[in-house]
Amino acid sequence: MARLRITEIFHSLQGETSAMGRPATFVRLTGCPLRCQYCDSAYAFHGGEWMEQQAILDRVAERPGQLVVVTGGEPLAQPAVHELMGALCDAGREVYLETSGALPVAAVDPRVVKILDIKTPDSGEYEKNLWDNLALLQPQDQVKFVLCSREDYEWARDFLRQQPLPVQEILFSPSHAQLSLRDLAEWVLADALPVRVQIQLHKLIWGDVPGH
């Protein structure tokens, strides 16, 4: 079994996606090739602890609940994550992968729900979008847009009108402290967009404290 560099493993509520509010175990991998201007997990860029896969599985097994969220950083930056996610699925866990959309998802176990970001112009990393990933999405997967401005919103709205996505959930999130949730909600209603407006529930409860 391979080793992975892990920043933290913790139990909390899933703060986003269609599973928002559900208890989950989070496995946060270390390292990310992107530097989005709104990143709230920069502490996971460096450091961490090398752990054997079995030790990670044992830690997850100590915690209640079925949902496991593999996050980062950018989890796919460590190729051994694929074996880990497969093992979690084999153990009967419901596995969500949070990925930036900048690295290939072709090798992701089909049992894993991919939460794939599409980087907007104001993210600062728009050029890192790997557009080939869109054709690899399954209906169970979810696509997320983090929006920083009215311009970002209009870009994402127009993108969806031109590029139908093969997923059941499209998530629009206001960048924390950059875009008003009320403004975003009113724009979505005015344009009748088939998206889910979401907030980061964990930040409403615990603020910016790591490990939540």
Side-chain angles (χ1 to χ4, degrees), residues 5 7 28-48 72-74 125:
R5 188 179 287 276
T7 292
R28 187 181 301 283
L29 276 67
T30 306
C32 183
L34 279 71
R35 293 296 183 268
C36 301
Q37 57 88 4
Y38 48 68
C39 182
D40 58 2
S41 57
Y43 63 91
F45 288 169
H46 308 287
E74 168 50 72
E125 292 285 26

Side-chain angles (χ1 to χ4, degrees), residues 145 153 160 169-172 184 188 192-198:
F145 295 81
Y153 168 79
L160 292 177
E169 291 282 354
I170 299 171
L171 313 168
F172 272 24
L184 176 57
V188 166
L193 289 186
V195 303
R196 180 190 295 264
V197 174
Q198 64 168 20

Side-chain angles (χ1 to χ4, degrees), residues 144-202:
K144 181 173 72 172
F145 295 81
V146 177
L147 307 172
C148 306
S149 63
R150 173 71 190 191
E151 290 74 22
D152 263 5
Y153 168 79
E154 292 178 354
W155 178 87
R157 177 198 64 196
D158 295 345
F159 178 91
L160 292 177
R161 288 173 173 172
Q162 298 164 13
Q163 174 74 51
L165 297 172
V167 298
Q168 296 175 353
E169 291 282 354
I170 299 171
L171 313 168
F172 272 24
S173 302
S175 179
H176 188 62
Q178 289 186 278
L179 179 62
S180 160
L181 177 62
R182 179 171 179 173
D183 285 346
L184 176 57
E186 291 179 347
W187 299 339
V188 166
L189 290 171
D191 290 328
L193 289 186
V195 303
R196 180 190 295 264
V197 174
Q198 64 168 20
I199 56 175
Q200 294 178 299
L201 178 65
H202 50 290

